[in-house]
Amino acid sequence: DGGITQSPKYLFRKEGQNVTLSCEQNLNHDAMYWYRQDPGQGLRLIYYSQIVNDFQKGDIAEGYSVSREKKESFPLTVTSAQKNPTAFYLCASSILEGLTEGFQPQHFGDGTRLSIL
Amino acid sequence: QKEVEQDPGPLSVPEGAIVSLNCTYSNSAFQYFMWYRQYSRKGPELLMYTYSSGNKEDGRFTAQVDKSSKYISLFIRDSQPSDSATYLCAMKGRGSTLGRLYFGRGTQLTVWP
């Protein structure tokens, strides 16, 4: 059963601590994305990646870092530099634009809720 | 001004009502218009998408795009309690970088029995 798995579902961060959120997909998608969702704010793009070992900053990348060492994995690290990390984090993937004609939807995982202790 | 504006609600309607959800946008380059449904503590799932202007119907759901007014709508007929969720509009340009999506804030809908 293909899909996107995010773990853990809930995560707590202490002051000064880095935490890493996991995102794994078995859809064979090239493109992967990380979004942050705050109440009443919609989804904001943090980072995205088209291909292994390549990624670009989105609108709110400060205080976050990512890696893309494998096609199926795109972990997000929330560093201590992110002063307001409490949010719902969503990972998504899609077929890369330009490889096929037409619309390529983004598929989402079920998110990780991060809170500060 | 945000690229995509959406009234967050909340919207509360009785079962069987017709629901109208709307978004406006400012970027005339947007060509694909999507509606995602998000249940509490879950990720968004794609409901429908429309390319350029026009209508698209899928069961009880109808998506409309008016590019001249930069206005999109989602209509839900015969609404059910199971439709209670947050509805997010999203849009993107054709051939835009990496298929990057621009989201509205989401409208929280409750359908009561």
Side-chain angles (χ1 to χ4, degrees):
Chain A
D1 205 12
I4 299 176
T5 301
Q6 290 188 242
S7 62
K9 289 186 81 66
Y10 300 95
L11 188 58
F12 297 91
R13 194 192 89 170
K14 295 179 183 177
E15 291 288 338
Q17 185 183 43
N18 293 352
V19 292
T20 297
L21 284 60
S22 170
C23 178
E24 303 277 333
Q25 54 99 0
N26 60 4
L27 299 167
N28 199 33
H29 287 165
D30 288 295
M32 296 188 74
Y33 314 79
W34 273 106
Y35 293 92
R36 171 178 170 143
Q37 187 175 31
D38 295 278
Q41 291 243 22
L43 274 66
R44 291 183 290 169
L45 185 64
I46 305 173
Y47 268 99
Y48 57 96
S49 169
Q50 302 182 63
I51 197 169
V52 172
N53 293 323
D54 184 66
F55 46 83
Q56 286 80 42
K57 293 181 180 180
D59 297 325
I60 56 165
E62 186 175 347
Y64 301 97
S65 66
V66 293
S67 63
R68 187 88 186 272
E69 296 177 2
K70 297 186 298 183
K71 182 176 182 177
E72 56 271 19
S73 177
F74 192 39
L76 173 74
T77 296
V78 183
T79 74
S80 57
Q82 172 51 245
K83 297 307 178 188
N84 183 24
T86 297
F88 190 48
Y89 291 87
L90 287 159
C91 179
S93 71
S94 71
I95 293 172
L96 192 61
E97 294 275 314
L99 294 183
T100 60
E101 290 295 317
F103 175 69
Q104 300 302 334
Q106 289 186 16
H107 300 261
F108 285 84
D110 278 339
T112 292
R113 189 166 299 278
L114 176 62
S115 303
I116 295 181
L117 277 177
Chain B
Q1 182 190 7
K2 281 177 66 85
E3 298 223 45
V4 181
E5 298 281 359
Q6 183 177 11
D7 186 341
L11 189 60
S12 181
V13 301
E15 183 175 356
I18 297 174
V19 175
S20 173
L21 305 167
N22 311 293
C23 290
T24 59
Y25 63 95
S26 56
N27 190 339
S28 57
F30 290 148
Q31 295 278 3
Y32 290 98
F33 303 92
M34 290 140 266
W35 287 96
Y36 281 84
R37 177 175 61 195
Q38 184 178 23
Y39 291 115
S40 182
R41 289 184 286 276
K42 293 288 190 180
E45 55 177 332
L46 182 66
L47 259 182
M48 299 178 69
Y49 79 91
T50 309
Y51 173 66
S52 195
S53 282
N55 295 0
K56 188 172 186 177
E57 189 173 318
D58 184 2
R60 296 184 295 109
F61 299 88
T62 300
Q64 285 185 354
V65 174
D66 181 350
K67 291 193 72 181
S68 62
S69 303
K70 296 190 177 66
Y71 188 88
I72 71 169
S73 302
L74 177 70
F75 297 97
I76 307 174
R77 289 184 301 280
D78 187 25
S79 56
Q80 303 295 311
S82 59
D83 295 327
S84 298
T86 296
Y87 290 80
L88 298 151
C89 64
M91 42 200 83
K92 75 178 191 73
R94 187 175 185 183
S96 60
T97 304
L98 202 62
R100 185 212 163 117
L101 298 183
Y102 293 84
F103 284 87
R105 297 164 68 187
T107 299
Q108 187 180 341
L109 171 68
T110 301
V111 182
W112 42 275

